[in-house]
Amino acid sequence: MITFTPLAGGAQSSQTTPLCYLLQVDDVRILLDCGSPDWNLEELAKKKELDDNVEDPWDQYIRSLESIAYTVDLVLLSHGDLSHTGLIPYAYSRWNLRAPSYCTLPVQAMARIAAVDHAEALRSEEDIDHGTTVAPAFDDIISTGESEEPKRTTGGKCVATVKQIHEAFDSFTTLRYSQPIHLQGYAGHTLGGTIWKIRSPSSGTIIYAVDLNHTRERHLDGTVILRPTSGGVGVFEPLGRPDLLITDAERALVVSSRRKDRDSFFLDTITSTLRANSLLIPCDSSTRLLELLVLLDQHWSYSKLKSPICLISNTGAEMLTFVRSMMEWLGGTVSKEDLGEDGRKRKRNAADEEQNLGAFALRFPHLEFFSSPAALTAMYPSSKPKLILAVPASLSHGPSRALFADFASTHGNTVLLTSRAEEGTLSNLLFERWNQRQDDHEKWDKGNIGSVIELDETITIKLNTKVPLQGTELEGYLQGERAAKEREAAHQAALVRTQMMLEADEDDSDSDDSEIQSDNDLEGGDDMLDQDVKLTTVIEPGGGGGSRRRGKHGVDGVTELGDWAFDQEEALTKQLLSYDIYLKGNVSRTTSFFKTTAGQTQRFRMFPYIERKRRVDSYGETVDVGMWLRKGKALEEYAETEEVREAKRAKLAEEEMKKAVAEPPSKFVSHNVDVKLACKLCFVDMEGLNDGRALKTIVPQVNPRKMIIVHASSVATESLIDSCGAIRTMTKEIYAPALGDSCQIGQHTDSFSISLSDELLASIKMSTFEDNEVGFVVGRVASHATSSIPTLEPTSLTSVAESMAPTVLDNEPAVTSTLAIRPIAKLPQSTMIGDLKLTALKGRLARLGVPAEFAGEGVLVCGGAAVKMSAEDIPNDTVAVRKTGRGKVVMEGTVSDVYYVVRREIYNLHALIAT
């Protein structure tokens, strides 16, 4: 039985992002995608300023995912953007989502890059972990180490740290294209985007395909679900006719404009604006950014533009470095850039190192990287025309929002939106303003290109920044830091002192009893006391590991105590222990009870020395585990190649460089800014997704037995259901669960485990069908005391013949046996398993040189008639294959070589079982 529950991005919902679904197949729970919402919604921030108790729109999703995270058995990710993968690091580190996780290598890298950029941008503006505080005197949000109790804290924003992001994505198992883990397919839309195919013995084939794109782009090919065939374009055979198809219908009502018109309007707008002004394009940090960069680079090279292309992102250079190493995943025109007109590989300039870094199409010589808007302003003044790509595309936080406040107030500048963004964000509000001012036939979903509009209004946006502390705030913060360090140092010193004293007491208890008794006698029996000397070793808290010794005649350095004199080096070896020792009179010189031949030997009392004894157990000296681990690490380092060592050294150097930059004490400040919009605004759909026409064409060709619609509004969901209902051969079992609702498909199946004996397994004749091997067995179930699983053992031939012989009733006359006549036995029957596809049969015959053509619906003509296609003179080697019903295949023709070849290929497309 299959149970499907949308945790986010359900059907018939106004909030279609993020995407996260729980698919349960029998007892296996699979999490399909795990996206994160946009945490900074414009209307939500205004509502929270009026009422602190306003519930976040993502609270239900967060609670649902947190409650089931530890029960998930498998995680599958389809795309590398935040709406599909953004919440994975937080769930991995905080909610124990440690199930085996799978994705393609590009999805893993792109998701990591997007998550790191998103986390760094948010954490540079807000105190995510501890909340933010609103100061009472002015409308600033301040968060310091010793701040007072906050009056209002930010809502539940589940944003992981950079370390948690790397740990989460390092745990993923990356797959190659169509790697057979019963998970295969390519979706288009984003680099490495995946169609998941899940096969279950009890539930059949399940395909999860969301956010598809069938059209070819500049850096990607179209989705693999459609393949060119001899008759046009058809469905990729392994993805055809699944038992369950899970797909989205967000754009079921959208009619996309032609790609040629979109690109022309996009580039013309950029060229005309850069003549005197600048242009801002909000974009994402990984997936769709690559398509924009390839398009802009080609236009800059063709038009010889001089204006710079500026990318404001902390991870832009890292993303391009990775993409250059994954050329096998790219498609479109990018994969052909290294080939000349004659098909030969273009030569690279060995003297130019930049050209050797990657593919020609991914060098981007006109692109410059900046970490912040301040760095961009320091390089280029605001009056210089330039094209700015700033993340994120939603304008909800980060560089794009900070830049928008000043950019939009300059007359002549243009803000060009390439995606609609999530509902409620600043980018989505600007898109709605643009769409409302378009004519009915020029709206974005009508198949035409809209026009540029000029804004003339004032909006209020909230900007969050992080500024260094100054004046009394800085002094108070530093004083608190010093006090905290002193307390921590004192606490650590006390712990060390206590531990050392405990170890000293333990070693003293193991000393010889005779020495203890001798010491007691010496101290108690001497009454001639004329002076007391006290020696103390003191560990100074916070002193950096040094010590200070006090005696009667000296402090620090060498302590003068008669026969005891310690230099600085010896003092360092004793600094971890502390003793208070009282030496009375001349007892420092003691005599021994035994005499020697040369006279009495003097023995001097020495400074206490703790001999570290080797710890032993019943098996001898205990093993130093740390020493063996260190030796193993040394051997591993010795076996590493020079490239691995160089990579580790570079990584360590980079980490040290990051640690060396100490961030000054700072606070988080929030203030409202009134922006006078005087810029131009336009929208070009560059999301790279199917429109309604493509969706309503692909789904009937896939022809699933059952279908689940997700990630769509109510109107779009009804449109796709009506379109499928109008097709006679399309399934009528279509489900559209809303957010939080579960739909159950099929019935619960009880499965049992049984082991096959070696004798039975050797006698089975297996037939291959798709990815399975099928065989028919007759056996006897036996239970053994050594195993809890029953075993199927072979039966004797006599018992098999008796089971197949007809049953004789008591009231029937006995049949007398006749000499030389064998008993009647039932002959075995042949069973063919599989569904014959005439297109597959035609392809197999073509490889064997047998011509075959379709002569009507469900009829394949093979042999000579397929060439002449004339009913007057039909050759003798003509064979017709006809499907008359479900599971019935009729083969007609004269006996010839073609007949037997066609019959053999039909058998090969099925699993033949003798029952």
Side-chain angles (χ1 to χ4, degrees):
M1 183 175 64
I2 299 175
T3 304
F4 184 82
T5 306
L7 304 180
Q12 303 179 6
S13 174
S14 59
Q15 195 75 18
T16 59
T17 53
L19 285 75
C20 184
Y21 312 104
L22 180 64
L23 174 66
Q24 181 170 348
V25 182
D26 294 335
D27 296 330
V28 180
R29 298 165 67 88
I30 305 173
L31 189 68
L32 302 173
D33 288 331
C34 186
S36 64
D38 197 297
W39 308 107
N40 296 334
L41 302 179
E42 298 297 320
E43 297 298 330
L44 180 63
K46 295 178 181 179
K47 292 179 180 178
K48 283 195 171 185
E49 290 180 356
L50 302 176
D51 185 6
D52 294 341
N53 299 322
V54 174
E55 185 177 1
D56 295 325
W58 55 79
D59 281 349
Q60 180 182 355
Y61 167 45
I62 298 300
R63 288 193 298 266
S64 301
L65 182 58
E66 183 179 5
S67 63
I68 61 98
Y70 70 96
T71 66
V72 172
D73 300 311
L74 183 67
V75 178
L76 304 177
L77 301 182
S78 60
H79 294 278
D81 52 1
L82 293 175
S83 62
H84 293 82
T85 64
L87 209 53
I88 278 288
Y90 194 90
Y92 178 86
S93 58
R94 304 291 182 89
W95 300 336
N96 199 26
L97 182 61
R98 300 300 176 92
S101 306
Y102 296 90
C103 66
T104 60
L105 183 60
V107 167
Q108 180 199 35
M110 290 298 185
R112 187 200 303 264
I113 291 171
V116 168
D117 189 271
H118 178 71
E120 289 180 346
L122 273 179
R123 290 180 176 275
S124 65
E125 297 179 354
E126 304 177 42
D127 193 357
I128 301 296
D129 297 325
H130 303 90
T132 53
T133 307
V134 180
F138 42 85
D139 192 16
D140 285 346
I141 299 179
I142 301 174
S143 177
T144 58
E146 299 292 329
S147 61
E148 61 180 5
E149 186 69 20
K151 291 187 177 182
R152 183 176 76 242
T153 58
T154 50
K157 298 181 179 181
C158 304
V159 181
T161 63
V162 175
K163 181 180 179 181
Q164 292 171 348
I165 292 171
H166 288 297
E167 290 177 352
F169 286 107
D170 287 342
S171 67
F172 270 72
T173 301
T174 56
L175 305 177
R176 302 183 304 274
Y177 173 74
S178 291
Q179 183 173 343
I181 309 183
H182 298 286
L183 316 165
Q184 68 176 5
Y186 175 67
H189 174 55
T190 62
L191 185 64
T194 312
I195 296 174
W196 293 108
K197 181 179 180 181
I198 307 167
R199 303 194 62 178
S200 169
S202 59
S203 303
T205 302
I206 304 171
I207 291 181
Y208 175 66
V210 295
D211 289 345
L212 303 179
N213 184 18
H214 71 289
T215 59
R216 184 183 183 188
E217 297 185 284
R218 283 173 172 79
H219 78 293
L220 290 176
D221 291 328
T223 176
V224 75
I225 203 170
L226 294 180
R227 286 288 183 89
T229 62
S230 59
V233 178
V235 175
F236 186 38
E237 183 178 347
L239 301 179
R241 193 61 174 165
D243 294 283
L244 176 62
L245 172 65
I246 304 172
T247 188
D248 67 304
E250 183 188 17
R251 298 167 65 96
L253 298 174
V254 176
V255 178
S256 298
S257 57
R258 294 192 305 169
R259 172 183 165 182
K260 180 180 179 180
D261 297 337
R262 291 198 308 267
D263 293 349
S264 177
F265 177 78
F266 180 80
L267 298 177
D268 290 345
T269 303
I270 293 175
T271 305
S272 59
T273 303
L274 291 179
R275 293 170 182 169
N277 299 97
S278 299
L279 189 137
L280 172 64
I281 303 179
C283 60
D284 67 331
S285 57
S286 59
T287 52
R288 298 303 302 171
L289 172 62
L290 193 58
E291 178 71 11
L292 294 177
L293 292 179
V294 174
L295 175 60
L296 294 173
D297 182 69
Q298 292 177 356
H299 180 62
W300 250 248
S301 300
Y302 180 77
S303 301
K304 307 298 182 183
L305 298 180
K306 302 300 182 183
S307 301
I309 304 176
C310 307
L311 175 60
I312 307 179
S313 173
N314 292 325
T315 58
E318 180 184 356
M319 184 270 293
L320 291 180
T321 301
F322 167 77
V323 171
R324 292 189 186 106
S325 66
M326 297 298 297
M327 291 298 297
E328 66 271 18
W329 290 89
L330 298 175
T333 59
V334 170
S335 60
K336 310 299 186 297
E337 287 292 327
D338 283 343
L339 300 178
E341 296 179 356
D342 56 352
R344 297 181 180 178
K345 200 159 189 176
R346 292 169 57 181
K347 295 182 179 180
R348 300 179 186 273
N349 185 2
D352 191 353
E353 295 182 357
E354 292 296 328
Q355 293 187 3
N356 295 325
L357 292 178
F360 276 95
L362 300 178
R363 286 178 297 160
F364 303 122
H366 311 284
L367 181 64
E368 300 181 26
F369 299 95
F370 298 92
S371 60
S372 64
L376 174 64
T377 306
M379 177 65 68
Y380 297 109
S382 58
S383 58
K384 179 179 176 59
K386 51 188 172 293
L387 173 62
I388 306 173
L389 298 167
V391 298
S394 61
L395 293 172
S396 58
H397 64 278
S400 62
R401 187 180 184 90
L403 191 64
F404 176 80
D406 297 329
F407 187 89
S409 59
T410 303
H411 183 75
N413 287 348
T414 301
V415 176
L416 201 160
L417 304 177
T418 58
S419 65
R420 295 166 296 155
E422 185 175 339
E423 185 176 354
T425 59
L426 177 59
S427 181
N428 183 261
L429 296 178
L430 293 175
F431 164 75
E432 293 295 339
R433 280 180 168 82
W434 174 87
N435 198 38
Q436 290 173 1
R437 294 177 57 177
Q438 302 298 315
D439 297 334
D440 292 339
H441 67 280
E442 290 185 347
K443 292 186 180 296
W444 81 280
D445 56 351
K446 302 303 180 182
N448 296 319
I449 303 296
S451 58
V452 179
I453 65 172
E454 293 188 3
L455 299 177
D456 187 13
E457 56 181 305
T458 301
I459 62 174
T460 302
I461 63 175
K462 182 179 182 181
L463 294 180
N464 299 322
T465 55
K466 189 176 184 180
V467 297
L469 296 179
Q470 297 178 353
T472 57
E473 291 180 341
L474 179 60
E475 182 62 29
Y477 177 82
L478 295 178
Q479 184 177 358
E481 287 290 314
R482 286 193 296 268
K485 288 182 179 180
E486 291 177 359
R487 289 195 300 268
E488 180 65 21
H491 178 66
Q492 293 296 331
L495 291 178
V496 171
R497 179 185 176 89
T498 303
Q499 182 66 24
M500 294 299 105
M501 293 183 68
L502 290 175
E503 292 180 0
D505 293 342
E506 180 181 354
D507 293 336
D508 288 344
S509 64
D510 296 336
S511 62
D512 194 39
D513 294 340
S514 60
E515 293 183 3
I516 299 176
Q517 183 65 31
S518 176
D519 292 342
N520 293 337
D521 293 341
L522 289 173
E523 291 184 5
D526 195 344
D527 295 334
M528 303 296 295
L529 308 176
D530 54 2
Q531 61 179 349
D532 291 343
V533 180
K534 181 178 180 180
L535 174 64
T536 306
T537 300
V538 182
I539 300 177
E540 295 290 346
S547 61
R548 180 167 58 89
R549 301 179 182 275
R550 297 195 303 269
K552 182 177 180 180
H553 304 293
V555 177
D556 295 332
V558 178
T559 305
E560 300 176 1
L561 289 175
D563 296 324
W564 290 275
F566 301 95
D567 56 14
Q568 195 69 21
E569 182 178 357
E570 292 176 341
L572 291 176
T573 62
K574 311 295 183 181
Q575 65 182 357
L576 295 179
L577 299 177
S578 177
Y579 298 93
D580 290 339
I581 305 169
Y582 291 88
L583 306 177
K584 303 177 181 179
N586 293 327
V587 297
S588 59
R589 295 189 176 187
T590 61
T591 59
S592 175
F593 176 78
F594 299 99
K595 304 293 183 178
T596 60
T597 56
Q600 183 175 356
T601 302
Q602 292 183 348
R603 183 166 60 88
F604 295 89
R605 181 175 296 279
M606 301 180 64
F607 187 83
Y609 170 71
I610 303 300
E611 181 181 0
R612 296 300 177 190
K613 299 181 179 180
R614 297 181 180 273
R615 300 186 179 275
V616 297
D617 54 16
S618 302
Y619 299 95
E621 183 179 350
T622 57
V623 177
D624 188 356
V625 180
M627 179 188 68
W628 288 102
L629 292 177
R630 289 191 296 272
K631 287 186 177 180
K633 185 177 181 180
L635 291 175
E636 291 178 359
E637 293 177 353
Y638 178 77
E640 290 176 351
T641 61
E642 188 63 29
E643 296 178 356
V644 176
R645 295 177 186 174
E646 185 65 26
K648 284 188 175 181
R649 285 193 290 267
K651 186 177 181 180
L652 290 175
E654 184 179 356
E655 292 179 355
E656 291 296 332
M657 184 176 61
K658 291 181 179 180
K659 293 179 181 178
V661 180
E663 184 179 0
S666 56
K667 64 178 180 180
F668 296 100
V669 178
S670 175
H671 56 279
N672 295 327
V673 177
D674 293 332
V675 180
K676 180 67 172 64
L677 298 180
C679 63
K680 298 178 181 179
L681 178 65
C682 64
F683 170 79
V684 180
D685 183 13
M686 303 291 286
E687 295 181 357
L689 293 170
N690 283 337
D691 62 354
R693 295 175 300 182
L695 179 65
K696 295 172 183 177
T697 302
I698 294 175
V699 170
Q701 292 187 23
V702 176
N703 195 18
R705 292 179 173 87
K706 299 179 181 66
M707 186 170 68
I708 296 178
I709 299 175
V710 297
H711 187 40
S713 61
S714 301
V715 180
T717 302
E718 294 298 329
S719 175
L720 182 58
I721 293 177
D722 294 341
S723 176
C724 294
I727 302 175
R728 181 176 56 86
T729 58
M730 187 65 186
T731 179
K732 300 302 183 287
E733 295 187 56
I734 301 177
Y735 304 87
L739 189 64
D741 295 341
S742 299
C743 63
Q744 294 183 351
I745 301 175
Q747 299 178 353
H748 182 73
T749 303
D750 294 327
S751 59
F752 303 92
S753 298
I754 189 170
S755 61
L756 303 181
S757 64
D758 296 338
E759 298 85 356
L760 182 64
L761 193 59
S763 63
I764 299 176
K765 294 182 179 179
M766 306 296 291
S767 297
T768 302
F769 173 66
E770 294 184 357
D771 297 335
N772 304 314
E773 291 187 356
V774 185
F776 179 81
V777 297
V778 175
R780 178 174 55 89
V781 179
S783 299
H784 300 280
T786 58
S787 176
S788 59
I789 300 177
T791 304
L792 187 64
E793 298 178 347
T795 58
S796 61
L797 296 177
T798 304
S799 59
V800 174
E802 292 176 354
S803 63
M804 293 183 178
T807 305
V808 179
L809 302 179
D810 295 338
N811 55 359
E812 292 184 0
V815 179
T816 59
S817 60
T818 306
L819 186 63
I821 297 180
R822 295 181 179 179
I824 300 175
K826 185 179 178 181
L827 295 177
Q829 297 179 353
S830 297
T831 301
M832 301 179 68
I833 300 176
D835 184 15
L836 178 64
K837 298 179 180 179
L838 297 180
T839 55
L841 177 60
K842 179 182 177 183
R844 295 175 70 98
L845 293 175
R847 288 192 292 270
L848 296 175
V850 177
E853 293 293 341
F854 287 100
E857 184 177 359
V859 179
L860 181 66
V861 178
C862 312
V867 179
K868 297 183 178 182
M869 292 302 292
S870 174
E872 297 178 355
D873 187 12
I874 299 178
N876 294 329
D877 58 349
T878 299
V879 178
V881 181
R882 180 183 298 107
K883 294 181 66 174
T884 59
R886 182 180 179 85
K888 295 183 179 180
V889 178
V890 178
M891 182 176 171
E892 300 175 344
T894 58
V895 178
S896 61
D897 294 339
V898 175
Y899 179 86
Y900 291 106
V901 170
V902 174
R903 188 182 68 170
R904 185 182 70 247
E905 293 304 320
I906 293 177
Y907 286 169
N908 292 337
L909 289 172
H910 294 79
L912 189 61
I913 305 296
T915 58

